[in-house]
Amino acid sequence: MTKKRRSAAWYGKLDKDGFIHRSWMKNQGYPDHAFDGRPIIGICNTWSELTPCNSGLRDLAEGVKRGVWEAGGVPVEFPVMSLGETQMKPTAMLFRNLLAMDVEESIRAYGIDGVVLLGGCDKTTPGQLMGAASVDLPAIVVSSGPMLNGKWQGRDIGSGTDVWKFSEAVRAGEMTLQDFMNAESGMSRSKGVCMTMGTASTMSSLVEAMGMSLPTNAALPAVDSRRMALAHLTGKRIVEMVDEDLKPSDILTKEAFENAILANAAVGGSTNAVVHLLALAGRVGIDLSLQDFEIGSGVPLLVNCMPSGQYLMEDFCYAGGMPVVLKELSHLLRPARTVLGGDIAAYHDGAECWNRDVIRAFDAPLKPAAGLRVLRGNLAPDGAIVKPSAATEALLEHEAAVHVFESIEDLKANIDRPDLPVTADTILVLKGCGPRGYPGMPEVGNMPIPRVLVEQGVRDMVRISDARMSGTAFGTVILHVAPEAQAGGPLALVRTGDRIRVSAARGSLDLLVSDAELAARRAAWTPEAAHYTRGYAKMYVDTVLQADKGADLDFLVGKDTRLVTRESH
Ligand code: FES
């Protein structure tokens, strides 16, 4: 019998309650010694056939179980809500906080001592981490891993990134609809997450940089046998972590978040990392603000993956993956503990780069200063962000008249109008797509280029909204404007014909309209009627924080680590 564990409050009791907890579990064939005080390890699984990116997680759970048994623990797999980014309406982001609640309450309610988080698709990783952080039991991540490289007509194609390009090419008449359809199956050739440096691979890269997974977790392809071995090793490690009482709060320090921000710049990571890291920091009580992301702004782009570069995650893996990136950043990395117990420096010990075109050296980068830029001004008093590595450099300093779309419906109805009064210089503004407005802050900020301009060969314009954009997307797209239009932010007051000035260099975003005129417009403004009046969506709209606070629900910020003592019977 080892030391008394959390699970002893369920399985260690010799009374009626203990009988009930053990007996019902034994209907699955567990022997007596499964409940002799050894650690019970939860495997929190977001497997779902409606989340294709996570459809390999059942197999990986078996790998984790092998490791847990080997180390003397008892693995118990349980499902939580799964969020299929490409399948859910109105947007998977609406449900990230619901998944976090599901994870938190499942971990808290059951008699487990530690948990392995199996996720991958964009919102599943942050949702699981947020929930686990709020209970603060020992926790470790195993990700789905990326799909194999997309292949079509003899070349590599990338999830998402090439869909946007193909879609514009069809609208410009440069690609046939038949070719467009044919590319579908070539793009998604195996289980796993998007194989570009989209949000899923960004988040798994940052999880590795924060030390919440074992090294190499981010890039190993989903179908690579070494990922199964990684799952096995993770199962072994979580049992040790329980004995060491190594919890998320020991790992997710301010320094760990700073390392994630630095890594996000170096990998050309998704803008979505901003809302996820802010929300996660809120769960563990770390004072992280939008301004903290500026520490990444001078960090060079090292990883040559779409959408900021040309390669895909499989190439990134074979070049050495995150250990090489962390080695290149080692002079910037903050000391921080990891799931291995030691410092993050151990994650790049002995790392070697096998392809310098895919992972550049710090002093020979793909782009010199690639981190996200935070913009502020009278259009975004609480901030907005832009991703320079995926933008057109000349457009990062820009002033022009705007064309406003009041809603996503307005945009869809009018973007292809032949008489849309826009030029390549026009700034497109989209309202009503923030956390409360849509609701759920969808990935529509990279609005399509108007057809009249696509036909003239225009492929990028300055676009501004309170939305997010897919991590696989690109362009000079200013996102997460806060406060959002629906919350009465200045974005709500912009009208077609106004002028906006953007300066990424100065970090500014200004609406060139007088204060008196804006005050008059505000007096006449009313928010749109709520789209949702019941259920989770109503709770979300009523309590969601703005983008600069991570779009968590206000009552979910923080944690509650108390043991639940009341019984159900
Ligand atoms: Fe699931 Fe991209 S849609 S990872």
Side-chain angles (χ1 to χ4, degrees):
M1 185 88 167
T2 50
K3 73 173 183 184
K4 194 161 170 137
R5 304 182 188 281
R6 180 180 187 270
S7 56
W10 280 256
Y11 305 112
K13 301 201 294 190
L14 300 178
D15 58 6
K16 165 186 65 91
D17 295 328
F19 178 105
I20 290 171
H21 292 310
R22 286 185 301 273
S23 177
W24 265 257
M25 287 295 278
K26 284 180 176 176
N27 84 353
Q28 301 173 87
Y30 290 107
D32 285 344
H33 72 261
F35 304 109
D36 66 358
R38 63 191 67 211
I40 308 290
I41 304 297
I43 300 174
C44 174
N45 203 341
T46 53
W47 172 90
S48 168
E49 289 180 340
L50 286 168
T51 306
C53 316
N54 292 9
S55 62
L57 290 178
R58 262 188 176 168
D59 298 339
L60 283 184
E62 293 307 315
V64 174
K65 286 177 188 176
R66 289 181 200 166
V68 172
W69 283 121
E70 184 187 343
V74 177
V76 282
E77 186 182 352
F78 63 94
V80 287
M81 183 179 195
S82 194
L83 307 178
E85 188 68 29
T86 51
Q87 313 296 319
M88 297 186 93
K89 296 184 182 188
T91 166
M93 181 64 174
L94 177 62
F95 306 108
R96 181 200 65 180
N97 302 336
L98 184 58
L99 166 62
M101 290 171 80
D102 185 354
V103 171
E104 175 178 346
E105 302 306 342
S106 296
I107 294 174
R108 182 176 292 117
Y110 286 115
I112 58 179
D113 299 298
V115 63
V116 179
L117 305 171
L118 294 188
C121 193
D122 296 14
K123 307 304 177 291
T124 55
T125 301
Q128 287 184 298
L129 279 171
M130 288 160 65
S134 283
V135 197
D136 208 24
L137 292 187
I140 188 169
V141 171
V142 178
S143 303
S144 296
M147 287 187 262
L148 296 175
N149 285 4
K151 298 278 181 187
W152 181 66
Q153 293 190 340
R155 67 183 176 98
D156 284 2
I157 57 173
S159 313
T161 305
D162 277 309
V163 181
W164 319 130
K165 288 185 177 161
F166 292 165
S167 165
E168 297 288 78
V170 171
R171 293 169 74 233
E174 294 164 357
M175 183 179 193
T176 67
L177 192 57
Q178 191 56 54
D179 275 350
F180 183 68
M181 308 293 283
N182 290 346
E184 276 179 17
S185 350
M187 186 164 283
S188 307
R189 299 191 302 123
S190 78
K191 290 182 178 177
V193 301
C194 293
M195 85 308 271
T196 42
M197 187 57 81
T199 304
S201 289
T202 296
M203 291 311 296
S204 56
S205 296
L206 304 196
V207 161
E208 193 170 327
M210 289 193 289
M212 279 300 295
S213 69
L214 294 183
T216 73
N217 172 62
L220 280 171
V223 294
D224 192 311
S225 55
R226 290 171 293 179
R227 181 161 291 280
M228 189 68 164
L230 186 91
H232 184 136
L233 293 172
T234 303
K236 273 185 77 179
R237 181 59 197 150
I238 186 67
V239 175
E240 296 162 359
M241 286 173 68
V242 167
D243 281 335
E244 295 161 18
D245 198 25
L246 181 55
K247 304 182 295 297
S249 58
D250 300 317
I251 296 165
L252 296 173
T253 57
K254 180 78 181 253
E255 289 77 13
F257 283 99
E258 289 176 346
N259 288 340
I261 292 168
L262 296 168
N264 193 44
V267 303
S270 165
T271 48
N272 289 323
V274 176
V275 284
H276 299 325
L277 290 178
L278 288 169
L280 181 58
R283 296 304 186 101
V284 282
I286 297 297
D287 180 22
L288 190 75
S289 74
L290 203 49
Q291 216 51 40
D292 286 313
F293 285 79
E294 281 289 329
I295 66 164
S297 62
V299 173
L301 178 65
L302 304 182
V303 176
N304 190 3
C305 274
M306 294 182 198
S308 297
Q310 72 180 95
Y311 293 100
L312 295 166
M313 289 301 289
E314 210 183 322
D315 309 302
F316 180 44
C317 173
Y318 304 149
M322 279 307 287
V324 175
V325 174
L326 295 174
K327 188 174 188 184
E328 293 297 331
L329 293 176
S330 58
H331 59 293
L332 296 176
L333 289 182
R334 280 59 166 153
R337 210 165 164 199
T338 72
V339 288
L340 288 177
D343 188 74
I344 187 69
Y347 278 40
H348 57 75
D349 245 8
E352 277 193 68
C353 183
W354 305 106
N355 188 335
R356 274 294 174 203
D357 198 30
V358 177
I359 309 176
R360 303 294 175 91
F362 191 87
D363 53 7
L366 199 61
K367 288 185 184 171
L372 305 177
R373 292 308 314 261
V374 178
L375 309 179
R376 287 179 198 279
N378 70 343
L379 185 57
D382 293 335
I385 56 168
V386 67
K387 181 178 176 180
S389 67
T392 303
E393 205 173 333
L395 290 175
L396 289 169
E397 307 295 319
H398 191 65
E399 181 192 317
V402 307
H403 186 90
V404 173
F405 298 102
E406 293 292 335
S407 66
I408 194 71
E409 289 77 20
D410 181 14
L411 181 142
K412 287 193 169 165
N414 292 296
I415 193 78
D416 283 343
R417 254 177 46 205
D419 61 341
L420 196 73
V422 289
T423 71
D425 276 342
T426 302
I427 294 176
L428 302 181
V429 169
L430 173 61
K431 303 178 185 176
C433 297
R436 274 158 67 175
Y438 202 75
M441 207 184 174
E443 295 183 335
V444 297
N446 55 319
M447 49 196 110
I449 304 296
R451 186 187 291 271
V452 285
L453 298 178
V454 170
E455 288 168 357
Q456 293 166 26
V458 177
R459 289 294 181 270
D460 193 14
M461 299 172 74
V462 176
R463 288 158 275 176
I464 302 175
S465 74
D466 44 14
R468 297 176 300 114
M469 76 171 176
S470 164
T472 62
F474 53 90
T476 314
V477 186
I478 295 166
L479 302 153
H480 308 190
V481 170
E484 64 173 298
Q486 181 71 5
L491 188 68
L493 310 178
V494 183
R495 292 179 183 170
T496 293
D498 290 347
R499 292 184 76 78
I500 286 177
R501 186 170 53 221
V502 179
S503 172
R506 286 199 303 275
S508 62
L509 181 61
D510 294 304
L511 175 60
L512 306 179
V513 174
S514 72
D515 290 346
E517 171 62 16
L518 289 178
R521 291 183 192 179
R522 177 167 298 286
W525 178 80
T526 48
E528 242 195 88
H531 292 272
Y532 291 88
T533 54
R534 65 171 300 283
Y536 167 77
K538 174 171 168 42
M539 181 170 77
Y540 177 93
V541 170
D542 289 347
T543 62
V544 71
L545 298 170
Q546 289 293 289
D548 62 303
K549 299 281 187 288
D552 202 356
L553 303 187
D554 58 12
F555 61 90
L556 290 175
V557 174
K559 60 186 173 185
D560 182 352
T561 60
R562 292 171 300 171
L563 188 67
V564 181
T565 53
R566 292 183 174 177
E567 292 284 352
S568 60
H569 29 73

